[in-house]
């Protein structure tokens, strides 16, 4: 047996990757299991990265990132959410996942408990476990529209609970927190002395509802709560989804003030710094034309509407997606309590890959996540192969 730490051996396999890699090995598969934007990256972004390579700007950057990029992230956060952020609080990371790891690495001691959404993105509990802390799932239930409830969170808080992870717009659900719910979640964190790590990967993509960042209600925010005497919110951002830069690995962690020295130490011990050419691409993305976002949002809305029409025709229940680019559908009539097995069989028989709901937590049993970011015709073709649900 390969020697490995117990906490590493306990990390479960990522079922999204499992089904997707299986699909990639099959010619002509329709892959609806992974959130990979399908549009070409805007030319001005590519040229900024290539220009950095041409001038051999390939050296180390500061741990926290290039100063102009940090300023651009801070300006974007101010313009999008009305939250004034000094650039010293915008820390450049290798995508949102590294931002999540950086925040949790800074906050957690062994044995600390972290409240993670169920269903929620699988790397939340994985990252917590790798840091010798304890993920504690909080329920997002169908009967409550897959929204968190304050009472459910309160019931799970112990004297070891340190962090609450929030994700809106949600991956995998497409759910978006309301203004009121977001405020109450931040109020709970301040009242119970919890840190909030807010994953806002999909903040640019909502449909007819606003995205409300928890930072609005934190100390220094435009709607700061009276009890918000100190900053408690970390915000993880990424350009992967917003501009289709998934492989360049650039995001930002917006932190409470006065943490730069501490974060520099953690960053130095993990990845040192983000690639310079990638950072120049990110700067061009944030400060250049924004056509990509508008075009992407229109495409995702079109795909959402087309997918829901197919599901309605098959009598398959689903959660109305208000954000991100996923649709959460109930396939209990076909999966019969083992959706992981069923998605594998569906791929073998129909050539279509869907992400099993159990990849995102126990409440995902009998549900699937459908990615809406590919070609519309391919999406319709793939979903049309789903077995119809008989009328009850």
């Amino acid at each position: 047996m390969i020697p490995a730490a117990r906490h590493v051996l306990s990390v479960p396999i990522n079922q999204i990757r499992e089904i997707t890699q299986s699909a990639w090995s099959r010619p002509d598969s329709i892959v609806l299991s992974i959130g990979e934007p399908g549009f070409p990256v805007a030319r001005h972004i590519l040229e900024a990265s290539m220009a950095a390579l041409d001038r051999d700007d390939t050296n180390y950057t500061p741990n926290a990132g290039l100063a102009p990029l940090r300023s651009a992230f801070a300006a974007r956060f101010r313009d999008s959410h009305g939250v004034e952020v000094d650039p010293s609080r915008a820390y450049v990371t290798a995508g949102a996942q590294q931002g999540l790891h950086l925040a949790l690495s800074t906050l957690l001691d062994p044995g600390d408990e972290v409240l993670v959404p169920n269903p929620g993105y699988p790397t939340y509990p994985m990252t917590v476990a790798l840091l010798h802390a304890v993920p504690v799932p909080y329920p997002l239930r169908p009967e409550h529209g897959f929204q968190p409830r304050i009472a459910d969170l309160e019931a799970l808080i112990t004297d070891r609970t340190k962090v609450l992870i929030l994700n809106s717009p949600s991956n995998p659900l497409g759910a978006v927190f309301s203004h009121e719910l977001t405020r109450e979640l931040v109020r709970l964190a301040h009242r119970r002395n919890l840190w909030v790590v807010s994953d806002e990967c999909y903040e640019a993509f909502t449909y007819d509802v606003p995205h409300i960042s928890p930072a609005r209600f934190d100390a220094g925010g435009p709607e700061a709560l009276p009890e918000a005497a100190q900053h408690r919110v970390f915000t993880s951002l990424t350009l992967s989804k917003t501009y289709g830069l998934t492989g360049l690995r650039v995001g930002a962690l917006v932190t409470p003030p006065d943490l730069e020295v501490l974060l520099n130490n953690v960053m130095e011990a993990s990845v040192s710094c983000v690639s310079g050419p990638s950072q120049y691409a990110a700067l061009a993305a944030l400060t250049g034309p924004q056509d990509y976002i508008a075009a992407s949002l229109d495409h995702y809305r079109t795909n959402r509407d087309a997918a829901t029409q197919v599901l309605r025709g098959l009598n398959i229940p689903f959660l109305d997606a208000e954000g991100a680019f996923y649709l959460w559908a109930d396939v209990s009539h076909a999966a019969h309590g083992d959706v992981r097995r069923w998605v594998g069989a569906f791929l073998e028989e129909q050539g279509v890959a869907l992400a099993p709901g159990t990849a995102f937590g126990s409440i995902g049993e009998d549900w699937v996540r459908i990615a809406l970011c590919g070609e519309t015709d391919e999406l319709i073709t793939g979903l049309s192969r789903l077995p119809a649900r008989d009328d009850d």
Side-chain angles (χ1 to χ4, degrees):
M1 180 177 179
I2 298 174
R6 285 191 298 274
H7 71 288
V8 174
L9 293 173
S10 69
V11 174
I13 188 170
N14 187 321
Q15 295 178 37
I16 307 169
R17 287 286 178 178
E18 179 183 57
I19 191 67
T20 303
Q21 288 172 355
S22 181
W24 285 339
S25 69
R26 295 169 49 94
D28 303 322
S29 291
I30 296 176
V31 182
L32 305 178
S33 54
I34 195 166
E36 179 74 55
F39 295 105
V41 173
R43 188 67 196 174
H44 70 280
I45 298 175
L46 297 175
E47 288 176 351
S49 184
M50 290 186 287
L53 292 169
D54 283 342
R55 63 178 180 265
D56 194 20
D57 200 340
T58 55
N59 299 324
Y60 291 123
T61 74
N63 294 124
L66 297 169
L69 180 56
R70 300 179 75 187
S71 294
F73 270 118
R76 169 67 176 269
F77 204 64
R78 177 197 65 222
D79 295 343
S80 298
H81 307 300
V83 181
E84 290 288 346
V85 174
D86 189 274
S88 66
R89 294 174 53 200
Y91 209 96
V92 180
T93 61
Q97 177 56 39
Q98 200 251 321
L100 176 72
H101 191 279
L102 180 63
L104 294 176
S105 296
T106 305
L107 293 172
L108 296 177
D109 287 314
D112 283 343
E113 294 175 353
V114 179
L115 297 172
V116 300
N118 173 19
Y121 193 60
T123 65
Y124 301 153
M126 292 168 69
T127 303
V128 171
L130 286 173
L131 293 170
H132 299 272
V134 181
V136 177
Y138 61 86
L140 306 177
R141 301 190 186 281
E143 59 266 32
H144 302 133
F146 291 98
Q147 298 279 344
R149 297 202 308 165
I150 300 300
D152 290 334
L153 290 164
E154 286 271 20
L156 294 170
I157 295 173
T158 72
D159 58 1
R160 299 199 67 87
T161 309
K162 186 175 283 186
V163 177
L164 169 62
I165 294 181
L166 301 176
N167 176 216
S168 175
S170 166
N171 176 10
L173 302 169
V176 176
F177 297 168
S178 68
H179 182 279
E180 180 181 2
L181 175 59
T182 307
R183 182 181 63 233
E184 292 308 305
L185 290 165
V186 177
R187 177 172 282 125
L188 170 68
H190 279 277
R191 179 162 50 82
R192 299 303 298 268
N193 294 319
L194 306 180
W195 296 98
V196 172
V197 176
S198 178
D199 177 359
E200 301 180 30
C201 282
Y202 299 92
E203 48 96 19
F205 303 123
T206 61
Y207 312 105
D208 306 317
V209 296
H211 165 60
I212 306 296
S213 176
R216 290 187 63 86
F217 308 103
D218 200 29
E223 300 179 66
L225 295 167
E227 54 266 56
Q230 68 178 67
H231 290 80
R232 288 203 162 270
V233 176
F234 289 75
T235 306
S236 183
L237 306 171
T238 183
L239 305 188
S240 293
K241 313 299 185 181
T242 311
Y243 299 97
L245 304 182
T246 53
L248 291 188
R249 312 308 305 136
V250 186
L253 183 68
V254 179
T255 74
D258 303 321
L259 289 179
E260 187 169 357
V261 173
L262 183 62
L263 291 168
N264 282 348
N265 290 340
V266 178
M267 190 75 164
E268 181 64 29
S270 53
V271 298
S272 295
C273 62
V274 175
S275 158
S278 289
Q279 291 191 59
Y280 284 108
L283 180 60
L286 288 169
T287 59
Q290 301 297 299
D291 310 63
Y292 183 98
I293 299 176
S296 298
L297 182 60
D298 286 345
H299 178 69
Y300 301 150
R301 184 192 298 271
T302 296
N303 277 4
R304 180 201 62 169
D305 295 345
T308 57
Q309 184 174 353
V310 173
L311 295 180
R312 285 193 183 100
L314 296 170
N315 198 30
I316 295 175
F318 59 89
L319 179 68
D320 285 317
E322 293 185 323
F325 45 62
Y326 303 107
L327 201 58
W328 187 244
D330 179 351
V331 293
S332 56
H333 65 291
H336 302 299
D338 192 351
V339 73
R340 183 181 182 186
R341 178 206 59 78
W342 180 80
V343 296
F346 187 60
L347 174 61
E348 288 295 320
E349 296 165 9
Q350 299 294 335
V352 181
L354 304 170
T358 48
F360 308 97
S362 60
I363 296 176
E365 183 59 82
D366 281 336
W367 293 75
V368 292
R369 188 196 70 175
I370 301 161
L372 303 172
C373 36
E375 295 293 334
T376 306
D377 290 346
E378 190 173 69
L379 173 66
I380 294 172
T381 298
L383 295 185
S384 297
R385 297 177 188 174
L386 287 166
R389 186 189 192 104
D390 294 333
D391 289 328
D392 295 330

